[in-house]
Amino acid sequence: MAQWISAVGAAQLARLLNSQQERPAGPGSRRPPAYRALADGIRLLVLEGRVPVAARLPAERELALSLSVSRTTVAAAYEALRGEGFLESRRGAGSWTAVPAGNPVPARGLEPLPPEALGSMIDLGCASLPAPEPWLTRAVQGALEELPPYAHTHGDYPAGLPALRAMIAERYTARGIPTMPEQIMVTTGAMGAIDAICHLFAGRGERIAVESPSYANILQLMREAGARLVPVAMAEGLAGWDMDRWRQVLREAAPRLAYVVADFHNPTGALADEDQRRRLVDAARAAGTVLVADETMSELWLEEEVRAAGMPRRVCAFDPAGSTVITVGSASKAFWAGMRIGWVRAAPDIVRSLVAARAYADLGTPVLEQLAVNWLFSTGGWEQAVALRRAQARENRDALVTALRRELPDWEFSVPQGGLTLWVRAGGLSGSRLAEMGERTGVRVPSGPRFGVDGAFEGYIRLPFTVGGAVAEEAAVRLAAAARLVETGGTGAAVESPRTFVA
């Protein structure tokens, strides 16, 4: 019986391999043989999770034709991978990817490091900060005081606690967007909200237009749901959306859904202006596309001039009929990732459909966490906690930017006015190889291709504002060491016994 559970076609694997920039040749170094370069490329795709473990690889002849190399080169690469434990084969069943014994299975998303690895490894994989105390403790204490009446019920609230739905609706109304509680569904984080929306609107094979780049975990969620992703390039720098491209894609591809992050976009940090928001809603309405607006970063402005000028109106403000825009919000980024409370704002009939479908998923969101968020919203604790989060993110951002400019002056980036991430062009180096070498130098970073479709953004990495002070400086030093390893083909010495930091 074959051991593979999925398959990678020759053309797809060739695209992924061709997206990898060639490793620069350091002084006195030799270019590796063709078979070795091919084996390294496949191994890197497996380690990054871009080719899953237990995926059947194309036959040697098929891959050779797609790559325009000899079959002997492919055969030698496969043999090298088998010797290293990254490939298994069986006569009549083909060859499939594997990981050597003792190695962790690669993650296809951006999961945080396990706590035991945090001592020596600086984790820049997840854009999440520690809880803003004392507000987490106070919120939980307040929730416990409100819990007894709910404890006498079954505890299942598929649409969310009525009190929290009303509070979220009231907050939208206060921003000039009239909203009824019937337009709100509380979810288990923003990921739970978007998963429910995708299953309701975009069945297997449906097109979903996404920003390019976009949030890696959402892209992976959509892939695993069977969606066909249609990338739409962002404008240069922090200019937001390229509206000509969006109109063209919506008109020609007619995607069922479009997913956008208008407020301090993840990963670029771009902020779409009001004109872009209005025009995108109009274009989506004309194309019959449902526009999913992710607002998880909307309160994380970091510059005083942004507050003074006022944030652009929410995307749903340009859809008064409620027929085009579905809004997703969350407490996870603005407050704490461990507070898995998200919500959907949509037309009442859409909310009813989402709630009905939830019976076959998770039934509802934990009551205690909903009560904690409701306590924060109703007491003013939310605003004070988010102000603390902004100050911390601003300080971390400035420390990281200063350290990068000192240690890696050739790397290019624009400093965003909000959000939690820096999108960095890595001086002509491969982001995938930087991520690989970063593991050796003691810093974990996600490579650019995780945020794109079919291998795009190989020359980028994403750096979140999750560490500051001495830890941010050390992270830049370790990234510079990883860059030197990439430049020399991995032949330099790794950092020995990285210092232990407590962030």
Side-chain angles (χ1 to χ4, degrees):
M1 181 179 177
Q3 301 299 306
W4 50 273
I5 57 176
S6 63
V8 180
Q12 179 188 8
L13 183 57
R15 285 197 304 273
L16 292 171
L17 289 166
N18 288 332
S19 73
Q20 296 174 339
Q21 297 176 351
E22 287 192 11
R23 175 186 299 157
S29 64
R30 294 182 178 179
R31 191 178 301 277
Y35 85 88
R36 184 68 262 173
L38 176 55
D40 286 348
I42 295 174
R43 175 179 56 82
L44 192 57
L45 291 172
V46 174
L47 286 173
E48 279 215 310
R50 290 197 281 147
V51 168
V53 176
R56 185 180 186 274
L57 295 186
E60 295 170 1
R61 188 184 303 277
E62 294 175 1
L63 186 56
L65 287 172
S66 292
L67 292 173
S68 298
V69 300
S70 71
R71 182 177 177 182
T72 302
T73 297
V74 177
Y78 279 14
E79 183 59 34
L81 290 168
R82 278 190 289 268
E84 296 165 1
F86 285 95
L87 198 69
E88 296 180 10
S89 304
R90 180 177 299 169
R91 186 178 297 277
S95 300
W96 56 92
T97 56
V99 291
N103 281 36
V105 176
R108 303 202 71 190
L110 300 178
E111 290 79 5
L113 279 175
E116 62 270 16
L118 291 175
S120 60
M121 182 73 71
I122 297 176
D123 185 11
L124 297 181
C126 290
S128 300
L129 289 162
E133 289 288 26
W135 298 106
L136 174 62
T137 298
R138 292 180 182 176
V140 173
Q141 291 170 341
L144 287 172
E145 293 176 2
E146 299 293 330
L147 183 62
Y150 296 94
H152 294 291
T153 73
H154 49 61
D156 287 334
Y157 296 87
L161 294 184
L164 181 56
R165 295 176 72 196
M167 180 60 67
I168 294 171
E170 181 180 318
R171 289 172 65 84
Y172 278 105
T173 300
R175 296 187 183 102
I177 307 168
T179 303
M180 303 179 295
E182 292 79 10
Q183 292 178 261
I184 303 296
M185 180 177 84
V186 180
T187 62
T188 307
M191 291 286 288
I194 294 168
D195 182 59
I197 293 166
C198 287
H199 279 88
L200 181 63
F201 284 95
R204 186 165 294 275
E206 292 276 7
R207 295 185 182 93
I208 301 179
V210 295
E211 296 150 327
S212 184
S214 186
Y215 179 35
N217 285 342
I218 293 296
L219 295 181
Q220 191 57 36
L221 181 156
M222 292 173 175
R223 289 187 189 102
E224 294 183 358
R228 298 164 59 190
L229 301 183
V230 182
V232 186
M234 297 286 290
E236 287 297 318
L238 299 177
W241 298 322
D242 185 324
M243 287 310 307
D244 290 338
R245 288 172 175 163
W246 269 106
R247 280 195 301 270
Q248 180 182 2
V249 167
L250 294 177
R251 183 176 63 248
E252 296 178 359
R256 186 71 182 91
L257 284 179
Y259 169 76
V260 296
V261 184
D263 303 300
F264 309 119
H265 174 258
N266 186 355
T268 68
L271 177 64
D273 62 33
E274 286 205 0
D275 183 60
Q276 290 172 331
R277 296 169 192 235
R278 180 185 296 105
R279 292 163 64 192
L280 183 58
V281 172
D282 290 345
R285 184 182 298 114
T289 297
V290 175
L291 186 61
V292 181
D294 185 336
E295 293 185 344
T296 54
M297 298 283 189
S298 64
E299 297 192 56
L300 290 177
W301 49 265
L302 304 182
E303 302 293 353
E304 191 61 29
E305 54 261 37
V306 175
R307 185 199 65 79
M311 283 284 291
R313 282 179 289 170
R314 303 296 176 93
V315 176
C316 59
F318 302 99
D319 179 40
S323 59
T324 299
V325 178
I326 298 178
T327 301
V328 172
S330 172
S332 297
K333 295 298 185 185
F335 186 74
W336 183 47
M339 187 69 77
R340 304 305 304 161
I341 298 295
W343 53 86
V344 172
R345 180 196 180 276
D349 60 321
I350 292 175
V351 168
R352 286 193 295 269
S353 296
L354 289 169
V355 170
R358 196 172 194 180
Y360 307 101
D362 63 356
L363 293 178
T365 302
V367 169
L368 188 63
E369 291 185 23
Q370 292 187 71
L371 289 172
V373 172
N374 193 58
W375 183 92
L376 287 166
F377 284 158
S378 60
T379 62
W382 176 267
E383 284 69 24
Q384 295 184 65
V386 173
L388 183 63
R389 170 66 76 239
R390 291 191 195 107
Q392 186 179 14
R394 184 187 308 112
E395 182 179 333
N396 288 355
R397 181 200 62 184
D398 294 347
L400 183 61
V401 165
T402 299
L404 287 173
R405 285 176 172 164
R406 181 182 65 246
E407 299 292 336
L408 293 153
D410 293 338
W411 288 17
E412 302 171 48
F413 52 84
S414 298
V415 181
Q417 293 183 304
L420 290 172
T421 58
L422 202 64
W423 185 237
V424 180
R425 191 195 304 269
L429 301 180
S430 160
S432 298
R433 298 193 185 280
L434 278 168
E436 180 188 23
M437 295 305 172
E439 297 286 339
R440 292 175 56 182
T441 62
V443 59
R444 179 177 181 257
V445 295
S447 67
R450 286 178 177 258
F451 302 87
V453 177
D454 281 340
F457 307 110
E458 181 59 45
Y460 290 79
I461 59 173
R462 189 196 74 170
L463 300 177
F465 316 142
T466 52
V467 296
V471 185
E473 293 178 8
E474 180 66 14
V477 169
R478 296 184 186 187
L479 281 170
R484 289 192 294 272
L485 286 177
V486 174
E487 290 169 348
T488 59
T491 58
V495 172
E496 296 182 4
S497 302
R499 289 176 285 171
T500 297
F501 282 93
V502 178

